[in-house]
């Protein structure tokens, strides 16, 4: 979510605006909060449409009709003012991933899930049609998945401007691939309820197979196939579901069932009040739980993005990175990840001159590595909580969090924002390799200390300042404990190394280093194999590794490939040790490999903060603060944040005792404090470089290149279908 702009209103119709969710051809969608605390998505019409009498009449008519839509499976309109100078409409804000996001991340849904989805969305469309509306854009991006069922959003409300344009030749209203053939054929056909049923059939086919039933690609080809070709329903083995979808996808509108008919034809039981989400796969349930948990954190979470103070004020803004998907977007459907921004009273402890500085967390909170990013954010918060609990603390720390969504371009903007904020002393992050590489130049230019705990590349862009710390072993460094674990045993002489390029540079660097280091670390040998990205059948490669007397196996690649390797290996007599790279240690590996996952091991740069020795206090604090056990990477972020806090405190203490004079610039001197006592960024970077810090989970020291000294790692094994922490990875005795 973007911040409000200077010309944006602060309030609309009893809603305090918190930020911008999106923009479209007809207006802006804001996130708002009522005085009672309810969140809402507010659609505000642009002035050029607001001044059009015909448009205002259509908007009024459709808004009134939409408010009559009464279905628990359609996001309701909660308020509207079509007569104000700037017409607006508010809908309930619903947390939850979109169907498109869930399928992209977790794969096609099982038949029962698709039937439940179809029945409840049919009920939503029945209510929409009963209110005199046609949705016109039923697609996976316009369906949100929540704990108690799906929600249909954007149901025709944003289509008022399209109402008179439907007769224009060649104009398409909707999304190619999910359009009914009567519209795909052109000619100005008016969209009707039967078109929504066809689109629903496309949506359900996508949910069941992971692909649109008329393919993808060029729009013209898509439209032609929609009009002339039979839908692709391959992979849908449930005969009843296949029959229902075929009926929905009939070319002739009259041959399709109505939404109400479809509800009665699908006999699947649906979730009731208080029902569990067992109608969805476990991976999707986890996504929903993460989004819901983020909403629950809103009242208690610390300020994350604080506007730099200019004059004393009674309140300040904050942003909370929140993965959710509940806005009715103008012309763009739903969104899957936003940031919430709210107001929080300024809390002051101590005298008015008390110092409050920030540690930044640059994380992927809503992208492909959101689990790691969220864990790191929480670890940093606990470390700051611990520091602030000190009665003798010389200053107060806050946490400022920015979400790069796992996007390199956005990571650059996040880095620039942190660099501009003079109260940010150091930044923990970013989460991933690509975002770290992209953001590093901005941090380097500002000499802002940056400590990553999960970006493990061997090399990064050239830097001028020595302020970037790789507080984790690289992929190459991790190969040392991997090789030691596999080859320093009497029954292993040759290591088979399978490098799957689907894992990108992470897999290549780890596999190459393991192959290179084996003869220098042990008396063993290797047999390496590299397979192209996208290789689905790994059985021939596994057979080749075993044929060359490999008595231990190392797989470098992603979770999907590791599962394929596990299944292929399970079909052989091989019983030797097998280890996969830590990037494959994901729930997807367990789900895809099934019983073949049993016994696979992972050498990881992260510990299990709920099971590691001495972790009880940290785990208890995490459960109390966040209501769950700590996840992977939380312990590492906790330690590194503690390192920064300790170094800052030591610098402040040293300056106070030594009477160091103030400077006028944050980078004026490598050792002195700024005018308010804050250490310079250069001084902090130098202090981190030369320090040794014993954290709760690891001892941190850095060499001249600011890389972590040592190859400490951790060992996990799949036992009874779960990842079990075994402890620190073994080291050679000499």
């Amino acid at each position: 979510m973007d911040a409000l702009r200077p010309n944006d209103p602060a309030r609309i119709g009893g809603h305090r605006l918190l930020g911008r969710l999106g923009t479209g051809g007809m207006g802006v969608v804001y996130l708002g909060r009522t005085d009672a605390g309810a969140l809402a998505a507010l659609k505000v019409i642009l002035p050029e449409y607001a001044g059009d009498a015909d448009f205002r009449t259509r908007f009024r008519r459709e808004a009134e009709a939409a408010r009559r839509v009464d279905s628990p499976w359609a996001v309701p309109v909660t308020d509207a003012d079509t007569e104000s100078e700037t017409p607006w409409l508010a809908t309930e804000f619903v947390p939850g991933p979109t169907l498109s996001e869930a399928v992209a991340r977790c794969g096609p849904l099982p038949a029962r899930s698709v039937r439940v989805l179809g029945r409840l969305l049919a009920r939503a469309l029945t209510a929409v049609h009963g209110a005199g509306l046609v949705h016109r854009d039923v697609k996976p991006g316009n369906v949100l998945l929540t704990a108690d069922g799906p929600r249909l959003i954007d149901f025709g409300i944003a289509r008022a401007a399209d109402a008179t344009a439907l007769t224009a030749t060649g104009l398409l209203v909707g999304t190619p691939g999910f359009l009914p053939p009567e519209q795909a054929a052109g000619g100005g056909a008016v969209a009707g309820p039967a078109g929504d049923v066809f689109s629903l059939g496309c949506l359900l086919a996508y949910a069941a197979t992971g692909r649109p039933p008329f393919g993808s690609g060029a729009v013209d080809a898509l439209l032609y196939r929609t009009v002339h070709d039979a839908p692709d329903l391959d992979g849908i083995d449930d005969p009843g579901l296949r029959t229902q979808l075929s009926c929905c996808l009939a070319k002739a509108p009259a041959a399709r069932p109505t939404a109400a008919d479809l509800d009665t034809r699908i006999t699947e039981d649906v979730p009731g009040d208080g029902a569990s989400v067992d109608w969805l796969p476990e991976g999707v349930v986890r996504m929903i739980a993460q989004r819901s948990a983020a909403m629950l954190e809103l009242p208690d979470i610390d300020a994350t993005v604080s506007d730099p103070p200019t004059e004393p004020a009674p309140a300040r803004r904050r942003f909370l990175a929140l993965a959710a998907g509940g806005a009715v977007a103008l012309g763009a459907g739903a969104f899957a990840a936003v940031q919430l921004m709210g107001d929080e009273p300024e809390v002051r402890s101590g005298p008015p001159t008390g110092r409050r500085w920030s540690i930044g967390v640059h994380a992927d909170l809503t992208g492909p590595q959101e689990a790691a990013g969220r864990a790191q954010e929480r670890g940093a918060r606990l470390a700051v909580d611990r520091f602030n609990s000190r009665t003798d603390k010389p200053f107060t720390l806050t946490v400022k969090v920015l979400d790069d969504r796992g996007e390199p371009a956005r990571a650059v903007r996040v880095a620039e924002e942190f660099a501009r904020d003079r109260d940010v002393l150091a930044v923990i992050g970013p989460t991933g390799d690509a975002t770290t590489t992209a953001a590093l130049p901005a941090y380097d230019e500002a000499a802002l200390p940056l400590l990553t705990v999960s970006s493990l590349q061997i090399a990064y862009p050239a830097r001028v300042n020595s302020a970037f710390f790789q507080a984790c072993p690289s992929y190459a460094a991790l190969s040392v404990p991997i090789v030691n674990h596999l080859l320093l045993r009497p029954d292993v002489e040759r290591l088979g190394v399978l490098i799957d390029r689907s894992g990108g540079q992470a897999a290549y660097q780890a596999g190459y280093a393991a192959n290179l280091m084996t003869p220098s670390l042990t008396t063993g040998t290797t047999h390496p194999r590299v397979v192209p990205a996208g290789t689905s059948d790994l059985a021939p490669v596994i057979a080749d590794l075993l044929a060359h007397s490999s008595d231990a196996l190392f797989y470098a690649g992603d979770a999907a490939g590791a599962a394929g390797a596990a299944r292929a290996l399970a079909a052989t007599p091989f019983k030797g040790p097998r280890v996969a790279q830590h990037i494959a240690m994901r729930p997807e590996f367990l789900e895809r490999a099934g019983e073949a996952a049993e016994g696979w091991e992972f050498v990881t740069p992260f510990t299990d903060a709920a099971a590691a020795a001495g972790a009880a206090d940290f785990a208890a604090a995490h459960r109390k603060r966040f209501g769950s056990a700590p996840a992977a990477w939380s312990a590492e972020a906790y330690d590194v944040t503690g390192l920064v806090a300790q170094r800052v405190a030591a610098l402040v203490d040293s300056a106070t005792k030594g009477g160091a004079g103030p400077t006028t610039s944050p980078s004026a001197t490598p050792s002195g404090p700024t005018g308010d006592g804050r250490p310079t960024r250069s001084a902090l970077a130098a202090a981190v470089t030369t320090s040794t810090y014993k954290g709760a989970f690891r001892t941190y020291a850095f060499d001249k290149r600011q890389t972590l000294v040592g190859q400490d790692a951790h060992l996990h094994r799949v036992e009874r279908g779960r990842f079990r922490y075994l402890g620190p990875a073994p080291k050679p005795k000499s």
Side-chain angles (χ1 to χ4, degrees), residues 420-441:
R420 285 192 297 266
D421 190 338
R422 63 188 301 270
D423 285 333
V424 174
L425 303 173
V427 175
I428 312 302
T431 312
D433 296 331
T435 48
T436 300
T437 299
L440 192 51

Side-chain angles (χ1 to χ4, degrees), residues 258-295:
T258 66
D261 290 340
L262 188 60
D263 177 19
T264 60
R265 290 186 183 187
I266 300 175
T267 58
E268 185 64 63
D269 291 337
V270 298
D273 293 338
S276 66
V277 287
D278 62 355
W279 65 281
L280 284 171
E282 183 180 349
V284 180
V285 174
R286 281 195 298 270
M287 292 180 69
I288 294 172
Q290 290 169 357
R291 309 298 165 90
S292 299
M295 288 294 292

Side-chain angles (χ1 to χ4, degrees), residues 161-224:
D162 298 327
T164 58
L166 287 172
T167 57
T169 301
L171 181 66
L172 295 176
V173 179
T175 302
F178 297 90
L179 283 172
E182 56 269 26
Q183 286 187 272
V190 176
D196 280 349
V197 172
F198 186 92
S199 299
L200 177 60
C202 294
L203 177 150
L204 296 176
Y206 169 85
T209 65
R211 62 184 186 277
F214 297 101
S216 57
V219 171
D220 288 348
L222 251 179
L223 299 178
Y224 180 88

